[in-house]
Amino acid sequence: MIYKMPKGQKYTDLCIYIDSEIKKPDCDEEKCFEYMYHLFYILAVKGRMFITASDYDNYALYGATQLFLRYRKEKEPGSKLKPIKSCLNYIKRILYPLKVNYQKSNFFQVFKEEALNGNAPIGIADNQKKTAENINNDLLRTEYKYCLTQIAATIKLIIRDSPYSNNKVTMHNLYISCLLTLLKTITISNKNLERLKVRKRRNIVTDSFIDKIYEEESKDDVVIYHLDKTMGNYIDTLVKRCKKEIAKDLSYIVDSYNLPDNTIKEMLMQPLEDYSDGQD
C-alpha cells in the first residue's frame, strides 16, 4: 500500500474525519486525501475487484483523486453540485462505476459501448446489472462480518467512560465480563440448535421462531468475571448499550446498500458523467 493505515483507526473513523473536516477552510487536505485512498482500497479489497496489489493501489489513488476533485468542485463559488453528506455512502455509489472508468483508462478493459448505453442484447445488459448487484451484495456481507469482528472494540469504547476508568484491573474485568455476556446471549445453546435443526428439516423455520430463540438466550444471567456480584446490573446495562451500538452499525450498513434497480442501471449507463463529474 502506498499509504499505511493509521494505527488504532477503524475505517468508520476515517469517514467521520473526512465528513467533519473536508469542508472546513483550514482542513488538512493531505490527510483527507490519504483517508479517501484507504476507503477506496478497503472497499475494493472487500469486493475482490482486482487481482494484483498494484491494481488496488492504483485504483485507490484514482478513486481518491476523483472524490477529492469532486469536493473541490463543490466548494467553487456558484457550484450547483449537491453537497456530499456522507463520503462512505458516496464512495459505495461510485465504487463500481469508477472501476469501469479505471479499467477503461488503464487497460481498455471496458464493456462495449452498446452495453453501457442500453443498446446491447438483453443478455449482456442483464449480466452487467447482475455483476453490479453481486459486487454490492459481496461488499455488504464482507462489511457486515467486519462490523461483527469489531465487537471487542465497541465494548472498549462503551466502558471507556466507566466510573472505574482509573482502575486498570477493574476495567479489564469489566471488559471480559461484557464480552463473555454478549457472546453468551448471541450464541445459540445446543438445546435450541437441535430445535432449529428439526424445524429446518421440516422447512418451517420462521423469523419469529429465530427471534424467540435469541430472546430466550438473552434472558440468561450476566457473566461476572472476577468482580463482585453486585456489579451484575451494571454489566447488564453496559451489554445492552453495546447491543444497541452494534445494531445501529449493522442497520446503517444494510441501509447504505439498499440500492434500487434504477440506481444500478444509471451507474452502469453513465459512470463517468454522473459520478466523477467529468474529471478524468
Side-chain angles (χ1 to χ4, degrees):
M1 296 177 68
I2 295 175
Y3 297 107
K4 290 184 178 180
M5 185 70 177
K7 291 184 179 180
Q9 295 268 40
K10 296 189 296 183
Y11 81 94
T12 48
D13 296 327
L14 308 187
C15 297
I16 292 171
Y17 180 87
I18 294 173
D19 288 340
S20 63
E21 298 293 324
I22 190 64
K23 296 178 183 180
K24 293 181 179 179
D26 58 344
C27 78
D28 188 336
E29 292 188 333
E30 186 174 345
K31 180 182 287 189
C32 285
F33 181 85
E34 181 180 332
Y35 284 5
M36 291 174 196
Y37 162 88
H38 285 302
L39 292 175
F40 275 100
Y41 194 101
I42 291 169
L43 291 176
V45 169
K46 286 181 178 181
R48 298 180 181 179
M49 292 170 62
F50 302 101
I51 298 176
T52 66
S54 61
D55 272 343
Y56 284 109
D57 264 329
N58 292 331
Y59 171 73
L61 283 174
Y62 176 77
T65 301
Q66 299 300 315
L67 181 56
F68 186 81
L69 291 174
R70 171 62 170 75
Y71 275 114
R72 277 279 184 87
K73 290 185 70 175
E74 182 183 313
K75 290 181 179 180
E76 292 177 359
S79 173
K80 295 182 180 179
L81 291 174
K82 186 177 180 180
I84 299 173
K85 294 181 179 180
S86 167
C87 68
L88 181 59
N89 285 346
Y90 190 80
I91 290 174
K92 288 175 182 176
R93 288 185 63 219
I94 67 174
L95 196 70
Y96 181 74
L98 282 188
K99 175 181 183 288
V100 175
N101 292 337
Y102 167 76
Q103 290 178 318
K104 181 178 180 180
S105 60
N106 288 275
F107 307 109
F108 300 98
Q109 294 176 352
V110 67
F111 307 117
K112 290 182 179 180
E113 194 62 27
E114 290 81 7
L116 293 180
N117 61 30
N119 294 327
I122 294 176
I124 295 178
D126 285 347
N127 183 56
Q128 304 317 320
K129 180 175 179 293
K130 288 178 181 177
T131 299
E133 290 174 336
N134 288 336
I135 287 176
N136 208 43
N137 290 334
D138 288 342
L139 285 170
L140 171 58
R141 281 191 290 270
T142 304
E143 194 167 350
Y144 211 83
K145 290 177 182 178
Y146 177 79
C147 184
L148 292 177
T149 65
Q150 300 303 302
I151 287 177
T154 300
I155 293 174
K156 289 179 180 178
L157 285 174
I158 294 295
I159 67 173
R160 185 176 57 185
D161 299 325
S162 167
Y164 309 96
S165 57
N166 292 327
N167 189 322
K168 290 185 178 180
V169 175
T170 301
M171 286 292 285
H172 174 73
N173 293 338
L174 271 176
Y175 164 72
I176 298 298
S177 297
C178 289
L179 183 61
L180 292 176
T181 300
L182 186 57
L183 291 177
K184 185 179 179 182
T185 61
I186 64 176
T187 302
I188 301 176
S189 65
N190 290 332
K191 176 184 175 182
N192 281 328
L193 277 176
E194 285 302 318
R195 292 171 63 194
L196 190 58
K197 287 178 182 178
V198 171
R199 284 191 167 243
K200 278 186 176 180
R201 286 197 293 267
R202 296 177 181 176
N203 198 27
I204 54 174
V205 177
T206 61
D207 290 340
S208 60
F209 176 72
I210 294 175
D211 290 341
K212 183 179 179 181
I213 286 179
Y214 278 109
E215 185 179 350
E216 290 176 5
E217 302 292 351
S218 297
K219 289 180 180 178
D220 289 342
D221 294 334
V222 298
V223 178
I224 301 175
Y225 179 81
H226 293 174
L227 292 170
D228 192 275
K229 291 183 179 180
T230 58
M231 298 282 283
N233 288 336
Y234 183 58
I235 293 170
D236 183 54
T237 300
L238 292 175
V239 170
K240 286 178 179 177
R241 287 180 59 193
C242 289
K243 285 183 179 179
K244 186 176 181 180
E245 285 300 314
I246 294 167
K248 185 171 68 175
D249 289 343
L250 293 177
S251 296
Y252 175 79
I253 290 171
V254 172
D255 290 342
S256 67
Y257 279 95
N258 237 348
L259 296 182
D261 287 349
N262 63 329
T263 300
I264 294 175
K265 183 179 179 181
E266 289 172 4
M267 288 164 62
L268 290 170
M269 291 176 64
Q270 294 178 309
L272 183 60
E273 291 181 7
D274 286 355
Y275 297 101
S276 63
D277 300 313
Q279 297 290 339
D280 289 326

